[in-house]
């Protein structure tokens, strides 16, 4: 009787291990984390570089500063997000933002781009900004994000919104653009975190 119980216990443990394995596989198959920024350093989770960019680095009246912020979108006390302090308040045409390499990632198993966004209530923030996705042809495919608040919010964008992407099997870059048309106020701070591709 004792032997039977041990056998039964082992069988149950084996079933649980298989079950957890299947669940873990299903989770990883449905979502690819591109960047959680939780190391507080480069590169992103798929080995891609990232940073802030300026239309004209010599024009001190405009620019975008990237830094790591301890305000993690997933509530991880040890995690980080990306903070973008933008300034498009300039006598000159102004745009700037954030770029992140996708390292030729094959996105064909997925159909949705996700990320978390939050405005900094203290610094002020635009409720609207543009993002761009590029495949290896580098043609920017734009999408306007709106409705930003001072709380973390998940933004999910179906791939079909990015109409100029021709080859989903090799993506090059994810870009955030602050410009003097969409950005109001023209200076402020936006937090970005947990950039993923998912199948929904
Ligand atoms: Ca994070
Ligand atoms: Ca300025």
């Amino acid at each position: 009787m004792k032997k039977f119980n041990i056998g039964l216990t082992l069988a149950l443990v084996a079933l649980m291990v298989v079950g957890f394995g299947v669940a873990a596989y299903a989770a990883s198959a449905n979502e690819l984390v591109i960047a959680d920024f939780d190391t507080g350093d480069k590169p992103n989770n798929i080995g891609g570089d990232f940073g802030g960019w300026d239309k004209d680095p010599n024009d001190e009246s405009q620019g975008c500063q990237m830094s790591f912020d301890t305000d993690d979108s997933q509530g991880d006390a040890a995690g980080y997000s990306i903070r973008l302090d933008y300034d498009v308040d300039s006598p000159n045409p102004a745009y700037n933002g954030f770029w992140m390499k996708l390292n030729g990632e094959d996105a064909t198993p997925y159909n949705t781009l996700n990320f978390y966004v939050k405005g900094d209530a203290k610094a002020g923030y635009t409720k609207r900004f543009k993002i761009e996705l590029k495949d290896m042809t580098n043609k920017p495919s734009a999408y306007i994000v709106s409705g930003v608040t001072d709380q973390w919010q998940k933004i999910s964008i179906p791939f079909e919104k990015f109409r100029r992407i021709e080859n989903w099997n090799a993506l090059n870059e994810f870009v955030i653009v602050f410009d003097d048309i969409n950005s109001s106020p023209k200076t402020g701070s936006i937090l970005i975190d947990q950039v993923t591709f998912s199948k929904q």
Side-chain angles (χ1 to χ4, degrees), residues 25 100 116 147 175 178 197:
Y25 176 76
M100 181 164 72
Y116 282 73
V175 179
F178 300 108
F197 291 151

Side-chain angles (χ1 to χ4, degrees), residues 86-117:
Y86 69 89
D87 177 355
V88 291
D89 189 1
S90 166
N92 309 315
Y95 46 95
N96 51 57
F98 170 79
W99 59 272
M100 181 164 72
K101 287 294 171 190
L102 302 174
N103 274 7
E105 188 67 38
D106 179 2
T108 52
Y110 311 102
N111 59 15
T112 308
L113 168 70
N114 311 280
F115 59 90
Y116 282 73
V117 64

Side-chain angles (χ1 to χ4, degrees), residues 35-38 71-74 76 79-82 192-194:
D36 60 20
F37 305 111
D38 286 348
D71 186 352
D72 178 67
S73 66
Q74 311 302 298
D76 183 346
Y80 292 91
S81 60
I82 281 291
I192 300 286
D193 201 8
Q194 199 71 12

Side-chain angles (χ1 to χ4, degrees), residues 60-63 87-91 186-187:
E60 288 184 0
S61 71
Q62 58 177 293
D87 177 355
V88 291
D89 189 1
S90 166
K186 289 187 175 180
T187 64

Side-chain angles (χ1 to χ4, degrees), residues 140-160:
S141 205
Y143 180 87
I144 300 286
V145 175
S146 58
V148 177
T149 71
D150 63 1
Q151 301 297 313
W152 280 116
Q153 174 185 174
K154 185 179 185 180
I155 305 287
S156 294
I157 308 163
F159 279 178
E160 60 257 31

